[in-house]
Each structure stands twice: as C-alpha cells, then as structure tokens.
Amino acid sequence: MNFTKMLQVATIGAILAVSSGAAYATGGTPQTHHCKQADGTMDTTKTKKQCLAAKGTWAKDAAGTAAPAAAAPAAAAAPAAPAAPATAPK
C-alpha cells in the first residue's frame, strides 16, 4: 500500500467518524419541565403537546428535583469511612 492510498483511507475514516456523531454523544440535556395534571400529579411521560391537549399545564420542575438525580450516582460511588477498631477488654 503506498502513501497516497494510506492517506485516503485515513481521511475517509476520520470523516466517517466525525460525521457519525459518535464523537459528540453527550447523553442530552435533562428535562426541566413536566406535565402537571388538573389533580396536581406530575405525568413525566407526556410531551408538552400531549399535556396541553389533556388540559394540563407544562410546569417547570422545582430547583431541587433535577440536581439530586444527577448527584445520586456520585454519592453512591464515594467510599464509606472505615469503622473504628474495637478495643478488646483486658
């Protein structure tokens, strides 16, 4: 394989990798609004259009509801402090 063929293959591979979007996958942004139904319950499965059609309101979540969901895995990953060793009676 000569240099120009190798360069073409590398260029095509780089173009395909960038255009596939795999390099830009971030998981998206978390949803900050949900459907608040007439009885006061929140329906997280409905879209804004479905919510308004069902006579609900598209309400913004409370400031504290989105943060704990993201922080929960980080808190679980933190190691627990080791217990103090028990002293044996003499």
Side-chain angles (χ1 to χ4, degrees):
M1 185 180 256
N2 60 15
F3 180 74
T4 56
K5 284 286 188 188
M6 204 165 29
L7 187 60
Q8 286 176 347
V9 169
T11 303
I12 291 172
I15 290 171
L16 290 175
V18 170
S19 66
S20 70
Y24 303 109
T26 59
T29 58
Q31 184 174 349
T32 59
H33 291 73
H34 289 98
C35 182
K36 185 173 185 181
Q37 297 176 342
D39 61 355
T41 59
M42 298 295 277
D43 187 358
T44 59
T45 60
K46 289 186 178 178
T47 64
K48 181 177 182 180
K49 188 174 183 179
Q50 292 169 338
C51 179
L52 296 177
K55 305 295 184 213
T57 58
W58 192 245
K60 185 169 183 164
D61 294 341
T65 58
T87 57
K90 290 187 177 182

